Amino acid sequence: MSTTTDARTLDNYVGGAWTPAQGAETLAVTNPATGALLAHVPLSGGADVDAAVAAARAALPAWRDVNVIERARRLFTLREQLVARREDLARSVTTEMGKTLVDARAEVGRAIEMVEAATAIPTTMQGRILEDISRGIDAETIRQPVGVCAAIAPFNFPMMVPFWFLPFAIGCGNTFVLKPSEQVPLTQQIVFEILHELELPPGVVNLVNGGREVVEALLDHDGVDAISFVGSAPVAKLVYERAARNGKRVQALGGAKNHMVVMPDAVIDKTVSGLIGSAFGAAGQRCMAGSVVVTVGEAHDRLLERLAAATRALTVGDGIDAASDVGPVVSCAARDRIADWIDRAVADGATVVVDGRGGLDGLPAGGAFVGPTILTDVTPEMAIAQEEVFGPVLAIVRAQSLEEAIGIVNRSRFGNGTSIFTESAPAVRRYRHDVQAGMIGVNISVAAPVAFFPFSGWKDSFFGDLHAHGPDAVEFYTRKKTVTSRYFGSGQGTGAYFVEQ
Ligand code: NAD
């Protein structure tokens, strides 16, 4: 384990070349399982953002003119390169973020799937045309790129979240600036090595490392046309407001508190493994993690013992170790914050059924470990049932009916994802109809839509209109232009236009 200070300082990638940040301070990037120093990340400033945006603007006219089929072919090549580096990418995710290698491989798989969806751009970017809106007059809507598009990513998906945006943005003919999370900047270094080999025109894709200062410079920059943000709810709201005030197109995906409703007729063994995967996978650090179980009626007694036993059987350890079911959380600061949340829940009246604050002997002292935790006697009003903890902490709330359960779910200020576990079609129909959330699972515990469908929540989980990926990506990354035309020489263009029909 290296704890020396000789780890490399990461570069930005601007205008087709690796470029040091200008006079920036740096932050240490560490492996959360061991505390080992991995690299130093620069906290870039306004001058670095200026350089990246200038490169992206300069690249725009020529990239837009590369024909759309050729742009799609570059994405096919990108896919092949990502597949070839799949294991390196997954190991990088685990090393810098902590999730298990199995989970990291799935994350890389989802990123590749985004590229696959984006290769359909020559079809999905098509406009529409209607002949003879008046005699000899046609109307057509075409789609053109928006311009320079920037994306700002959170720590919990170092690989996937940037790919919710990058392939769709450049596929539609935009140029792109990425700011990864300063906590996990290493995986995108590998991605940009791959992009470099694609020989895209310089400036089509750019990488600026850093934190808040980079975000604010992007939000205020006249040269940036669109902003995609993924992160916590308070920052998502700030980003949405500031980008909109500056006249930019913006989508800002925020935090979550996802409820999983278990009906009395749920298939309990399958439900237990689903709940565990959702609550404790990635140590609870997914925006789609289920963090509140709402048991309906007798489901509570059928579920609790088995859920607690299966949770106690989980192995906590370094995510790179195949024996680990649950890796560390992202940092020691996050670990301590999560332990404080458990203490507070107990002070508020919750009962700890499985306690992740202890029993972690034998794990590296510098590791950011907190074990899976289950709390009962939780009421919907308690902070632990309302606020995002973003750790492996599962609160169990009781309801007597589906109607009461839906009321509990809908009182949350968040509305990202939610799941129901039941074999009853009428219950599902009712749930799907009434629940206020953007993504719903039926006997699926992490109902994150695949790349070909849109991804986003409602309420404080999302600020904007167009969701991430799926058909919404093409809507977000293109501007529509409608042309009304006639030709007198055709002998048909004699119809009246803009007069009473
Ligand atoms: P975060 O909000 O702390 O940071 C996200 C990004 O914003 C980072 O790149 C960071 O550098 C930047 N940032 C942080 N504070 C800022 C500020 N004050 N001004 C401007 N920029 C700022 O989020 P995080 O801790 O990295 O990620 C976890 C959060 O992201 C959780 O709340 C999780 O639910 C959410 N998330 C949501 C989704 C979704 O699809 N809705 C997906 C993944 C993660």
Side-chain angles (χ1 to χ4, degrees), residues 13 74 77 81 85 190-200:
Y13 184 84
R74 299 298 183 94
T77 311
Q81 301 298 329
R85 299 285 301 272
I190 303 176
V191 167
F192 274 73
E193 281 167 18
I194 293 168
L195 288 166
H196 185 70
E197 285 162 20
L198 278 192
E199 296 184 348
L200 297 167

Side-chain angles (χ1 to χ4, degrees), residues 346-406:
V346 172
D348 286 348
T351 303
V352 184
V353 175
V354 182
D355 193 345
R357 294 168 296 183
L360 300 168
D361 308 335
L363 294 171
F369 292 100
V370 48
T373 297
I374 296 182
L375 302 165
T376 54
D377 298 322
V378 175
T379 63
E381 294 72 34
M382 288 182 190
I384 194 71
Q386 293 189 2
E387 299 303 323
E388 184 177 42
V389 174
F390 222 54
V393 179
L394 182 60
I396 302 187
V397 172
R398 300 185 72 155
Q400 291 315 315
S401 64
L402 177 59
E403 190 179 16
E404 188 186 346
I406 291 172

Side-chain angles (χ1 to χ4, degrees), residues 152-157 160-161 164 179-183 210-216 219 229-236 238-239 242 252-258 285-288 330 337 388 390 414 416 439 455-457 461-462 468:
I152 299 147
F155 79 79
N156 62 330
F157 284 101
M160 180 184 75
V161 167
W164 284 355
K179 191 209 84 67
S181 165
E182 65 276 36
Q183 294 190 82
R212 178 178 179 162
E213 206 178 323
V214 175
V215 175
E216 291 180 346
L219 296 176
F229 172 89
V230 183
S232 57
V235 184
L238 286 173
V239 165
R242 192 155 165 173
L253 287 74
K257 191 77 185 176
N258 304 311
Q285 301 163 109
R286 293 186 188 128
C287 68
M288 290 294 280
V330 70
R337 187 182 48 75
E388 184 177 42
F390 222 54
F414 297 107
N416 210 42
M439 296 172 280
F455 183 113
S456 196
S461 297
F462 179 59

